[in-house]
Amino acid sequence: MKILNAKELAEVDAFTMNSQSLSDWELMERASSRAFLEILKKINPEKDFVYIFCGTSNNGGDGLALARMLNQKQVKIRVFEVAYSSSTSKAYQKNIKFLKENRIQINTVQNQNEIPDLNPATCIIDAIFGVGLNRRMPGFIQELVKKINLTEAFKISIDVPSGMYLEQSIETDEEFVISDLCLTFQLPKLPFLLPETGHYVENFKLIDIGLSEEKIKQTKTPYNYITTSDVSSILKKRAKFSHKGSFGNALLIGGYEGMWGSVIMTTQACLRSGAGKVYTHLDKTGRLVLAQHALESIYIQNCPKALKSNPNWNAIGVGMGLGLSNNAVQLMEEVLAHQPKRLLLDADAINLLSKQKNWLKLLPKNSVLTPHIGELKRLVGEWDNDFDKLNKAKQFCKTYQVVLIIKGAHTCICDGTNFYFNSSGNPGLAKAGSGDVLAGVITALLAQNYKVLEACQLGVYLHGVAADLALESFSEHSLIATDVISYLGKAFQLLESKID
Ligand SMILES: NC(=O)C1=CN([C@@H]2O[C@H](COP(=O)(O)OP(=O)(O)OC[C@H]3O[C@@H](n4cnc5c(N)ncnc54)[C@H](O)[C@@H]3O)[C@@H](O)[C@H]2O)[C@H](O)CC1
Ligand SMILES: [K+]
């Protein structure tokens, strides 16, 4: 699924109206009536007192249409026109006319003194600014937003929380609405997926308003959102006459300094993700633990020898609990000298790379690096804000011709040109061990010869889905990495059921 900016969305709107012979007002009516159905699920129409703040552009037009629909349902409402401009669109004016015909009072807020007492409101609908905000909101709106954020009322933002820009960070002294629910039209918006802003948009729901699929498909954007339909087309069926040699040999290297568990979890996840054969090298003190927990894997005692004697590793995953000792440095040197076809570097492998930046140019083309935020900082340096972070990540990938998987909520994959944000997963994954599991899933897919970027998208998505499905039996608090491994099967089942 694509993530578009305001200009691209406006073009898609225009194309849709033209191709479906819709007026502005009809498209607005479609958008608002679908948002209305979602609002009804969240409010008590008999008891709630809903305040609706409408700007003077199309987002405000949605708000006015919602006011009419709520009034028709006999919901108690108060409508406020947040008048930041005197020029309004035709669709907006038509909605104002309807409200007037229905004798619904429209209160104006044009300065700080006109901001109403919000205490009576039990629900607030924020339709002040949508995707079109492109500069600082006027001071009185900043004050209004501050006041909205202080209320206990249930807050619903329409399309975008007012005050949030689609393509730039807000300044520290700027406000945006922190809503309980954001009903966003058709496609996700980039700031929802970035931690600085996304932290305040915990709950967003996509409202399908029937925008032209054809035009969306034609629109070029570097930003994408990984959904079930994107990845189910990537997953390959296992052929009837296949054998273990058809699905690749994966070698996993890590598990030193008491961190055996790390590479053993990677091994288990790799085994559960379809690799033909999984070989594991870890500190020899951990070999019996490996044998107990991953009977199907093959223990490699002498890793340098294994690298030298077998030029045909389909994929190597290195770094999980590797440590930073001289031994770890030597192992990394061996791996780099081997130049595997498919290489994934996680955890300490990334930390070692950050210490020895001259190694970066030795990475085989399309190596996959899976840093969490702290590891990314060590790799690319500090960033000013999330947009700057994306730029730095992109530059890094271009320079070294690698793929970065930036782990966190909405894990982001960057290949130097495009970004892919994950839609699956939950905060139960914010625990030690989750990354080891992810490394195992992706190494298995790389071993099976999936294209690198496809292996990353599929792996990240499956890992998140497994964590989501595991919530059937566990909670976000209690979920641990091995639970995610046990749900990988169900995650694969879900995607397999979509293969034709
Ligand atoms: N397909 C859809 O997504 C649909 C979206 N709809 C809704 O329309 C808005 C987008 O409408 P638009 O009029 O372009 O933008 P806004 O309502 O966000 O208003 C911005 C408006 O104000 C100007 N402006 C920008 N920044 C400022 C500022 N700081 N101060 C004053 N004025 C500012 C800017 O030039 C714009 O004119 C979308 O979010 C949906 O809610 C429709 O319902 C149809 C389908
Ligand atoms: K809004």
Side-chain angles (χ1 to χ4, degrees), residues 4-242:
L4 303 185
N5 64 23
K7 182 171 165 279
E8 290 155 353
L9 284 167
E11 284 166 8
V12 173
D13 284 358
F15 184 98
T16 305
M17 288 188 275
N18 196 10
S19 62
Q20 298 179 17
S21 305
L22 292 174
S23 67
D24 296 16
W25 183 81
E26 282 165 327
L27 184 58
M28 188 179 276
E29 195 66 3
R30 187 193 276 178
S32 336
S33 56
R34 295 189 185 170
F36 175 62
L37 296 178
E38 294 301 321
I39 292 173
L40 279 186
K41 292 182 196 162
K42 292 288 171 189
I43 64 167
N44 180 335
E46 275 125 47
K47 286 203 183 136
D48 272 316
F49 192 4
V50 183
Y51 278 28
I52 306 153
F53 289 94
C54 309
T56 41
S57 281
N58 287 330
N59 193 253
D62 296 337
L64 297 174
L66 286 167
R68 167 170 37 89
M69 295 168 196
L70 286 162
N71 179 65
Q72 276 161 2
K73 271 264 174 212
Q74 266 108 44
V75 177
K76 205 166 135 205
I77 57 165
R78 281 192 79 187
V79 186
F80 299 90
E81 184 181 47
V82 183
Y84 57 78
S85 166
S86 50
S87 67
T88 54
S89 71
K90 267 197 198 146
Y92 181 93
Q93 287 153 18
K94 190 163 174 179
N95 276 322
I96 287 269
K97 186 169 147 262
F98 279 139
L99 287 189
K100 287 189 174 153
E101 280 171 12
N102 283 287
R103 295 177 194 285
I104 297 168
Q105 191 189 333
I106 302 167
N107 307 279
T108 304
V109 183
Q110 237 170 341
N111 57 53
Q112 207 166 324
N113 299 330
E114 287 173 347
I115 297 176
D117 171 16
L118 300 181
N119 280 327
T122 56
C123 174
I124 293 176
I125 294 181
D126 152 35
I128 308 170
F129 282 106
V131 298
L133 185 77
N134 52 25
R135 54 193 187 275
R136 277 179 88 87
M137 292 193 298
F140 78 97
I141 306 185
Q142 305 265 358
E143 288 308 313
L144 169 63
V145 168
K146 256 190 220 168
K147 221 169 151 183
I148 291 177
N149 286 344
L150 286 173
T151 66
E152 298 273 296
F154 187 82
K155 300 168 205 71
I156 303 176
S157 286
I158 304 303
D159 208 15
V160 180
S162 298
M164 203 176 266
Y165 304 108
L166 287 202
E167 285 183 288
Q168 70 191 66
S169 286
I170 61 154
E171 298 293 329
T172 42
D173 62 343
E174 287 182 275
E175 303 289 329
F176 60 79
V177 174
I178 300 174
S179 41
D180 297 284
L181 174 66
C182 178
L183 300 172
T184 199
F185 297 129
Q186 199 81 29
L187 303 173
K189 313 295 181 284
L190 185 56
F192 301 177
L193 311 174
L194 303 174
E196 283 166 3
T197 32
H199 175 69
Y200 302 99
V201 201
E202 278 203 3
N203 197 4
F204 66 88
K205 185 160 181 134
L206 302 181
I207 308 290
D208 186 342
I209 59 167
L211 295 182
S212 162
E213 288 298 336
E214 179 195 344
K215 179 69 181 170
I216 294 174
K217 209 168 165 191
Q218 282 168 12
T219 308
K220 285 209 169 75
T221 169
Y223 302 111
N224 303 278
Y225 190 55
I226 310 169
T227 60
T228 313
S229 67
D230 298 318
V231 287
S232 56
S233 58
I234 297 176
L235 188 67
K236 289 181 240 170
K237 237 181 147 162
R238 285 170 90 90
K240 182 171 175 180
F241 289 97
S242 55

Side-chain angles (χ1 to χ4, degrees), residues 272 466 469 484-494 496:
R272 288 278 179 213
L469 294 170
V484 179
I485 300 171
S486 21
Y487 274 83
L488 279 172
K490 286 213 163 162
F492 273 99
Q493 269 181 3
L494 189 117
E496 281 160 6

